[in-house]
Amino acid sequence: MSTGIKNLVRTLDSVDFLKMDRRTFMKALGAMGAATFLGTYKSDIVSALDFAETKLVWLHGSECTGCSESVLNAGNPDLVQALQKLNVNLVFHETICAQQGIWNDGKLVNNAELNSEVLLEDTYKQGGYILVVEGSIPNGPDGSGRYLVIGNKTFKESLAEAAKNAVAIVAVGACAAYGGITSADSEVAKDTDYRGVAFAKEDPTKGMLKELGIDKPVINIPGCPAHPDWVLLTLGAVILGKIKIPNDLDTLLDNYGRPKVFYPPDHTVHDNCPRRGYYDRGELDEEVGGPGCLWKLGCKAPYAHADCGIRRWNGSVSMCTQAGGPCIACVEPNFPDGSRPLYVEAEDKGVLLGANIDTVSKVAVGAAAVAAGVHAVRRMGKGE
Amino acid sequence: MKSKNNPSLVVERYTITDRIAHTVHAVAMLVLIITGLKIYTGWDFMSFHSARGLHMIAVPFLLAVNWILIPYNIFSEGHGIFGKISHFTDHYIFGPKDATRLGGIIKNFFRKGRYPAYSIYDEEKGHYETKLHPLMKILIVLEGTAIFLIAVSGIVLYKLDWSLFGLPIASWILSAGDIIAPIFGMGSLQFLRALHLLLTYWFVFELVVHVGILEFDPHVWKYYKAIFWSGKEDLSDTHYSEFVEKYSRFDAKEHKH
């Protein structure tokens, strides 16, 4: 072995092979020659085969990046620790990765090392990656998807391309899962026609993948934003093979594609709310800032399936209701329409000509009481 | 018409099981309405746990009465399958004759005509032809439906994963809610809670109509006594009742000839 090669081996010895990205690995292989490389790193390769690098592609649709921010706020493990421990190669993430796409006259220029869009397309071709989608996908106008175009390509097309060869698809946040805020009822909602990856609000037949004719299972991690633990633990479980796709999904996910462990079908946020004791004692706040239960202030915790009350947020120290904010049920597929008005009790929503159940019922009961009185007077007066 | 003192005019209007069913139903319903509204509104006259406890104790009573005792009472009358079915339809289902009677009741309210009898006993057959106020026949069907729906929605509020003999009943209910709820812009659980509340108000409304409009009349008090205590009706009191004598139809036919 020449001195040069010996030096390179020595240098590479201090490098954690498991943390090499694909390009470094290929460079090392080229420099040393495959046989030498394999001989030197045999044991590492064996263990690497046991726990191979996983590529992760994180795409952003129509969204606020709040879910990425939430994941960046993760602690124990934080995002970097998680990526390292799980041997994840984060191939593409629009706001975390430094490289960006470069186009010249509408065409991608340079190579995968300098242009992340080229790298992305290479990755699509190679396949075998986990696709994370953050944000919804506009189908409008008229099914063209042109309300979101990046590099002269609609996001709808990008999703189709990315989804095709992905080994697993995870929709992170309310928007990617069900359409979220972007699909809220409005005058332009029909034109924009925002969809989630596998659902459009509660409807699984109108998810964007169905629209694209792609039949692949999707794990939904809704929330506005999604809790970092929900995202990282789900990704971890998929990477470590704890979740076998698609075989395990039927038992692991609920009807809306959410992992039951984080979005328990048999519990609501209300059940484990730190203010629950006040509800039990009938101390229901009617003004913000009080210590009591927030139900009358429009808290939707009784309708929200999530483990916020147990897991808590911000390093497990607080959560919306604990901080005095009524729950807005951001994990539910009909969010935000189902939760609106956010700070009005759900039962106070208008059901008949704008009147709520309480009002309609009180009028009906009052009218019946008046009618009963008139009837009684009439019957007694008759003396029959 | 026979004399007022004739004991043959006193007939059994409600059997002992009818009376038990009605009383248990009334008490259970009142407990459920009061404790349910306490849970909903946060009234502080009792603790949440007491209200919930009482609510859950009253549920099996209400359901046992409605789904076991009342069907037993209904179908223990009448001979043969067809006899039982016609007894059920004659006594509890609003039919054309009831519509005529209701029309007469409305006319009477506006001072036209006599208040029609709705409690009609046939001496020859030895039982009532019909005995409920026509409005009650409408209410009773709506009440049965409302009890079914409030029980179904209540299962989910009680326990989101309630199952019976391994059957995931609550999950089925939530899935059914998933189909209907989006129509109202709600999630399944939200819809079922709203339905539960709406039906609670329905029972309050029904109570007002039942006790107020139907019974808030001194001439009807005889039925209070009958349903809660004696079970008897003296048909010599002709307010709202009619006694079809044994040979009256035969006599009428003869008379025609």
Side-chain angles (χ1 to χ4, degrees):
Chain A
M1 199 182 284
S2 71
T3 315
I5 292 292
K6 276 181 187 166
N7 286 343
L8 181 63
V9 169
R10 253 201 308 278
T11 310
L12 289 171
D13 237 357
S14 61
V15 175
D16 187 349
F17 168 73
L18 294 178
K19 287 176 189 166
M20 276 184 194
D21 62 25
R22 185 182 63 84
R23 281 167 287 169
T24 314
F25 175 85
M26 294 309 284
K27 272 183 193 166
L29 205 59
M32 292 175 72
T36 316
F37 190 92
L38 288 173
T40 312
Y41 293 102
K42 193 177 172 191
S43 59
D44 283 348
I45 288 165
V46 169
S47 58
L49 287 173
D50 285 342
F51 187 36
E53 176 195 84
T54 307
K55 282 181 283 184
L56 194 71
V57 172
W58 189 304
L59 296 184
H60 290 243
S62 300
E63 42 82 58
C64 64
T65 317
C67 292
S68 284
E69 229 176 283
S70 177
V71 172
L72 284 168
N73 280 330
N76 199 23
D78 63 26
L79 181 62
V80 175
Q81 285 171 329
L83 294 177
Q84 284 176 344
K85 276 186 193 295
L86 295 168
N87 193 24
V88 169
N89 174 9
L90 183 58
V91 177
F92 185 89
H93 185 295
E94 213 139 11
T95 50
I96 297 177
C97 291
Q99 294 178 37
Q100 289 301 316
I102 307 161
W103 284 269
N104 197 349
D105 292 334
K107 283 183 182 168
L108 286 169
V109 293
N110 259 322
N111 54 30
E113 287 201 38
L114 297 167
N115 188 337
S116 55
E117 293 293 334
V118 175
L119 174 63
L120 195 56
E121 299 210 339
D122 286 353
T123 308
Y124 290 161
K125 281 173 201 153
Q126 288 158 14
Y129 50 87
I130 292 173
L131 172 65
V132 175
V133 183
E134 182 181 350
S136 63
I137 311 102
N139 193 40
D142 304 320
S144 67
R146 292 200 67 78
Y147 278 128
L148 179 58
V149 178
I150 305 167
N152 207 26
K153 194 189 281 181
T154 65
F155 186 62
K156 186 179 170 180
E157 288 173 278
S158 299
L159 179 73
E161 226 175 318
K164 219 167 278 175
N165 291 331
V167 289
I169 304 173
V170 181
V172 168
C175 298
Y178 311 118
I181 284 176
T182 58
S183 66
D185 273 348
S186 75
E187 285 176 8
V188 296
K190 272 191 181 167
D191 299 325
T192 49
D193 192 12
Y194 282 105
R195 311 280 182 96
V197 179
F199 283 78
K201 294 186 177 173
E202 300 98 335
D203 191 347
T205 64
K206 289 187 178 152
M208 186 46 86
L209 289 188
K210 277 263 158 54
E211 184 79 22
L212 293 163
I214 297 170
D215 184 21
K216 283 205 167 182
V218 175
I219 300 174
N220 284 330
I221 311 292
C224 194
H227 194 293
D229 286 2
W230 301 338
V231 179
L232 294 180
L233 291 171
T234 303
L235 288 174
V238 171
I239 290 164
L240 295 171
K242 302 286 180 195
I243 298 176
K244 303 267 185 301
I245 296 175
N247 297 351
D248 292 346
L249 297 185
D250 276 351
T251 49
L252 285 172
L253 308 181
D254 72 359
N255 294 342
Y256 295 110
R258 301 174 290 193
K260 290 179 195 171
V261 64
F262 306 129
Y263 307 89
D266 56 345
H267 278 92
T268 62
V269 175
H270 179 64
D271 295 338
N272 299 303
C273 177
R275 290 174 183 248
R276 173 63 194 238
Y278 291 98
Y279 170 83
D280 289 358
R281 288 205 299 276
E283 291 178 36
L284 312 179
D285 280 355
E286 292 189 5
E287 279 178 23
V288 289
C293 171
L294 304 168
W295 185 14
K296 296 289 169 193
L297 291 170
C299 184
K300 308 295 186 300
Y303 320 111
H305 296 275
D307 64 359
C308 301
I310 302 166
R311 189 171 301 280
R312 307 287 168 101
W313 287 65
N314 303 331
S316 304
V317 295
S318 189
M319 63 179 282
C320 299
T321 57
Q322 192 173 341
C327 170
I328 55 173
C330 64
V331 292
E332 293 303 311
N334 60 359
F335 173 79
D337 293 334
S339 306
R340 291 196 297 180
L342 297 184
Y343 303 118
V344 172
E345 186 189 340
E347 288 79 7
D348 277 353
K349 262 177 146 179
V351 288
L352 187 69
L353 302 173
N356 60 40
I357 292 176
D358 279 344
T359 310
V360 170
S361 305
K362 280 171 189 163
V363 168
V365 172
V370 170
V374 172
H375 182 263
V377 170
R378 195 78 186 82
R379 296 303 308 148
M380 286 175 196
K382 285 231 165 202
E384 282 176 6
Chain B
M1 184 62 68
K2 294 181 183 178
S3 82
K4 199 175 181 177
N5 296 324
N6 188 338
S8 68
L9 286 184
V10 176
V11 296
E12 187 180 52
R13 182 176 171 84
Y14 300 114
T15 63
I16 181 71
T17 47
D18 281 336
R19 281 172 275 159
I20 291 171
H22 184 266
T23 307
V24 173
H25 180 114
V27 172
M29 188 57 90
L30 282 173
V31 170
L32 284 163
I33 289 173
I34 294 166
T35 53
L37 287 175
K38 183 264 154 343
I39 291 168
Y40 170 61
T41 59
W43 290 335
D44 58 2
F45 66 91
M46 69 164 69
S47 74
F48 172 87
H49 295 288
S50 305
R52 192 175 187 275
L54 278 172
H55 203 77
M56 295 324 298
I57 289 168
V59 167
F61 281 96
L62 185 81
L63 296 188
V65 161
N66 277 278
W67 293 353
I68 300 170
L69 194 53
I70 291 177
Y72 167 78
N73 290 344
I74 292 172
F75 293 107
S76 59
E77 300 283 336
H79 298 292
I81 292 176
F82 293 109
K84 287 179 190 302
I85 291 172
S86 67
H87 167 78
F88 170 66
T89 52
D90 290 348
H91 283 70
Y92 300 99
I93 303 298
F94 186 87
K97 285 181 186 169
D98 295 299
T100 311
R101 283 184 205 113
L102 189 59
I105 291 166
I106 294 167
K107 279 182 190 160
N108 171 269
F109 187 80
F110 294 105
R111 298 178 189 279
K112 285 178 185 170
R114 192 180 155 76
Y115 201 106
Y118 54 78
S119 175
I120 300 166
Y121 188 86
D122 188 325
E123 190 185 22
E124 189 180 353
K125 291 178 185 165
H127 60 71
Y128 280 91
E129 264 182 27
T130 180
K131 64 183 169 192
L132 294 181
H133 190 288
L135 203 56
M136 266 309 295
K137 289 190 179 177
I138 297 173
L139 285 182
I140 219 161
V141 171
L142 293 176
E143 158 117 345
T145 312
I147 285 171
F148 174 75
L149 292 174
I150 206 164
V152 164
S153 53
I155 285 172
V156 174
L157 302 191
Y158 167 66
K159 203 165 187 285
L160 285 167
D161 60 346
W162 190 77
S163 62
L164 186 66
F165 305 127
L167 300 172
I169 307 285
S171 175
W172 289 345
I173 296 167
L174 282 165
S175 297
D178 279 335
I179 299 167
I180 305 163
I183 300 168
F184 302 97
M186 295 178 181
S188 181
L189 187 51
Q190 202 173 340
F191 168 72
L192 291 165
R193 286 182 73 107
L195 182 68
H196 204 77
L197 176 67
L198 186 66
L199 291 168
T200 304
Y201 282 126
W202 160 259
F203 290 121
V204 177
F205 170 79
E206 199 186 24
L207 195 67
V208 172
V209 174
H210 179 51
V211 176
I213 296 182
L214 298 187
E215 322 288 0
F216 201 22
D217 172 355
H219 299 302
V220 187
W221 292 348
K222 58 182 178 180
Y223 296 135
Y224 276 97
K225 195 180 160 195
I227 191 65
F228 282 111
W229 186 249
S230 69
K232 309 280 187 212
E233 178 172 16
D234 184 348
L235 294 159
S236 61
D237 175 356
T238 56
H239 285 103
Y240 314 123
S241 67
E242 190 181 319
F243 182 80
V244 182
E245 284 185 78
K246 204 165 191 176
Y247 301 108
S248 58
R249 283 176 180 153
F250 177 75
D251 292 345
K253 276 182 191 170
E254 287 291 296
H255 188 69
K256 274 186 182 175
H257 291 297

